Every structure is written in structure tokens, then in C-alpha cells.
Amino acid sequence: MQTYLRGRDFIGDLDFSKEEIETVLEVAWDLKRKRALGESHALLRDKTLALLFFFTSTRTRGSFEAGMAQLGGHAAFIDSETTQISHGDTAKEIGEIFGRYFDGIAIRQCDWQFGNQYINEVARASRVPVLNMQCDIYHPFQILADLMTVIEKKGRDLRRKKMVVSWAYAASYSKPISVPQSLILQMTRFGMDVVLAHPPEFKLMPDIMQQARDNAKKFGVGFDVTDDMDAAFKDADVVYPKSWGPLVTTTAAEEGKKLIEKYKVWITDARRMKLAKSDAIYMHCLPADRGLEVTDEVIDGAQSVVYDEAENRLHAQKAVMALTMS
Ligand code: CP
């Protein structure tokens, strides 16, 4: 168990070693148990965390705010549009200045080929931990909650369990690729055989794919890629189908929309769920485009764990905040 994470940033999934992630999970389960029992766990009394959002959020904002309060501290929600960032405050200034006001800085900035760079620039100037609430490349806190949920549902020994990370059709907007990228990076360290399924135009970033392949080799697990959603679902223990944009192929909005519209059949419905194991779980980070990405029958059905998954955001984030900011 690695116990000294004080002062550390958490920006990319692999910033914490596998052992450090195991520590985070142990602390998360301890905090989950304490909350269930109504035991006080004010580990961050008098501490403050800036929550700087450049994009909307339901779960991330709610769970970070609630989590800081439960830890005895305070989270300050800051909508970037109400700041002077558009009038000239630089990433360096945010890091320097917020680093002097707060004990941690959490940021959501998902702009393609900018968000991760921005968060790292803030971190370089900050004297306090910087936490990534989702960027264009990673969504590390989502995946901590996902890993926690998979272990709760499938047990600690995940060897030879098959996890499908699949593209799914959605009409609402071209979503970031951070969730599937973080999933293939983190899950390949924890024993699962990961299958990534997507239409040809919805590739992930080449260096992220290479890191996932390297992890799979190092940890002795499978990592396969297919453009056949049905084949991917066959005998799966965990299915995680969600939409993402064709950003690696094109950043042109109209061209991207045309590509998305080609693949309306990539929906998770009861027929597809039957291809997976009978005790397979359905996961989604939410929000989902109901009726397009997934049918109501599946997302509201017995195999869906989406609410437990969303709850675990709270516990996983509290663990990282307590370990890095105390
Ligand atoms: N899953 C997730 O990050 O949800 P929000 O966008 O609502 O924060």
C-alpha cells in the first residue's frame, strides 16, 4: 500500500501507480462505510477546493461539492464565464493565485487539444494539488468510480473478466473521447481483458492506444480492438457503451455529424445485452442519450449499475481529496 499522496496532482489516469490507485480504493471504501454509518470523517476541516468549470456538469459538480462538505471543508464552485479568464487571466495566473487562496484546484476543461494543456499549465504554477475533473484526453475520477463499481459487482479478482468499452450512437453533440481513453488506460492495469469496439472513424488517440497496449502486456491481460459491436458484446462480463466524437478523424462539426449519423444501429438494447453473459453489468458514466445510445429497458433494467456507479464518484473523489489535500 502506498500511503503518501500529499500534494500530488491527479491529471492523467496513470499519474498514480497501480498501488496508489489501490490505496485510493481502500480509502474510498472506508469513507463509503463511514458515510453509511453516519460516522464523522472531517479529514479536510478548514480546507478549501476551487472547482473551476469551463463546461456544464451534474455529477462531477455535485459529488465534489458534497464530498468536500462531508470532509469538513468547502468547495467553491467557479463558472469560468463569471471570471476574468476571457479578459486575460492566464493559466499561470490561475495556478499562482488560486494556489494561494485554496488548498486544491479542480478543473473541467474539455476543449479539444487545449483542455489537458490548460490544466497542466495551471498545475505547473500551482503550489497545491490540481485535480482533473475531465479534459479532452482523460476523465480520471470517472474511471476511479467505474473501477470501484466493477470490483464491487465482480469481485477483487478481475482476471479473465471481459470488459467491453464500446462506441454508441448519440445525436446530442460530439462528446469528448476522455471516458473511453481513461477506461482503456486504467482497466488494463487491473486484470480485465479489455475489448474496445468502435466504427473505423471513431479511433482514440494513437499514444493512448499504445499506452493501453503497453499496460496489457505488462499486466498480462488482453486488449483487442474491433468494429463489430455484436462480436464485442459476446460473453462480456461488463459492457460500457457510450458515444464519443470522431475527433481524431475530423474536428469539422458538419463532417463529424455525418459520420455519427452513419452508425445509428450502435445502440445497446435487450438483444445486444443477451449476447453478453447473463450476469453481465451495463455501465454508463451519464448523461446518456436514452433511446439512441441505450434503450430505457436496458438502462433501467436489472443489469444496469449506473446509479451505483454515479454514487461511487463521491467516495472515490473524497478519497483522492483526503489523500492529496490533507
Ligand atoms: N459523468 C460525468 O462526468 O457527469 P457530469 O458531466 O454530469 O459531471
Side-chain angles (χ1 to χ4, degrees):
M1 191 182 215
Q2 298 293 310
T3 53
Y4 201 83
L5 280 85
R6 284 199 185 91
R8 293 272 295 278
D9 298 328
F10 190 46
I11 297 173
D13 300 85
L14 307 186
D15 288 355
F16 288 178
S17 69
K18 183 170 183 274
E19 265 185 283
E20 287 167 342
I21 295 289
E22 284 163 354
T23 299
V24 168
L25 294 179
E26 292 303 330
V27 173
W29 277 307
D30 184 46
L31 295 175
K32 186 173 185 174
R33 187 185 62 81
K34 285 189 164 75
R35 179 164 162 75
L37 291 170
E39 275 179 28
S40 175
H41 47 280
L43 301 166
L44 294 181
R45 196 182 294 286
D46 302 330
K47 302 276 183 176
T48 56
L49 174 69
L51 302 180
L52 176 58
F53 280 90
F54 291 81
F55 281 85
T56 52
S57 166
T58 303
R59 282 145 291 271
T60 305
R61 177 183 175 180
S63 51
F64 269 101
E65 284 200 25
M68 267 308 278
Q70 290 161 21
L71 290 168
H74 171 74
F77 170 71
I78 302 162
D79 177 346
S80 65
E81 289 192 7
T82 65
T83 68
Q84 301 280 30
I85 290 172
S86 65
H87 297 153
D89 280 333
T90 64
K92 181 179 176 192
E93 285 160 1
I94 294 294
E96 273 285 356
I97 296 164
F98 278 7
R100 295 172 190 224
Y101 299 161
F102 297 99
D103 301 290
I105 306 171
I107 305 174
R108 170 170 281 192
Q109 169 41 288
C110 304
D111 284 342
W112 180 241
Q113 295 183 327
F114 178 72
N116 182 264
Q117 187 188 315
Y118 179 85
I119 294 173
N120 274 294
E121 247 175 88
V122 173
R124 277 194 290 277
S126 167
R127 61 181 68 181
V128 299
V130 169
L131 308 178
N132 179 1
M133 297 194 292
Q134 191 179 16
C135 68
D136 51 329
I137 302 176
Y138 309 110
H139 198 350
F141 286 99
Q142 177 64 52
I143 275 53
L144 283 183
D146 296 338
L147 179 58
M148 200 175 160
T149 309
V150 170
I151 293 172
E152 286 173 352
K153 305 297 178 189
K154 295 289 168 192
R156 282 181 186 251
D157 184 2
L158 296 174
R159 275 174 303 172
R160 304 278 75 87
K161 298 276 185 222
K162 177 177 174 181
M163 176 166 200
V164 178
V165 177
S166 177
W167 187 85
Y169 172 74
S172 51
Y173 72 107
S174 195
K175 301 185 187 197
I177 62 175
S178 49
V179 168
Q181 296 206 140
S182 284
L183 280 169
I184 64 167
L185 287 177
Q186 197 66 277
M187 295 302 176
T188 47
R189 299 203 293 180
F190 281 87
M192 306 199 83
D193 292 328
V194 177
V195 175
L196 174 68
H198 60 74
E201 302 90 341
F202 292 81
K203 287 188 171 61
L204 302 181
M205 293 166 65
D207 57 325
I208 298 291
M209 291 293 290
Q210 189 54 50
Q211 288 178 70
R213 278 192 286 269
D214 292 346
N215 279 347
K217 195 168 171 198
K218 181 173 174 189
F219 294 100
V221 305
F223 177 56
D224 295 312
V225 184
T226 176
D227 60 4
D228 184 335
M229 194 178 187
D230 280 355
F233 267 51
K234 195 164 175 342
D235 297 327
D237 296 280
V238 180
V239 295
Y240 199 130
K242 80 167 299 293
S243 169
W244 66 82
L247 296 161
V248 174
T249 302
T250 179
T251 50
E254 271 314 302
E255 196 186 340
K257 200 166 165 41
K258 274 190 200 147
L259 291 176
I260 291 171
E261 291 304 313
K262 280 170 67 179
Y263 299 106
K264 284 189 175 168
V265 295
W266 285 61
I267 183 171
T268 303
D269 55 13
R271 181 195 69 79
R272 250 186 196 124
M273 282 305 292
K274 283 202 182 80
L275 299 172
K277 285 192 181 147
S278 56
D279 64 348
I281 55 171
Y282 168 84
M283 301 184 74
H284 196 295
C285 54
L286 304 178
D289 279 30
R290 283 171 174 257
L292 301 173
E293 283 186 275
V294 58
T295 60
D296 287 344
E297 186 185 7
V298 170
I299 199 168
D300 295 327
Q303 288 169 275
S304 172
V305 299
V306 295
Y307 298 124
D308 291 341
E309 185 184 357
E311 179 191 327
N312 281 337
R313 292 291 304 275
L314 175 73
H315 310 302
Q317 286 158 202
K318 282 167 70 179
V320 174
M321 291 189 286
L323 285 162
T324 59
M325 290 171 59
S326 60

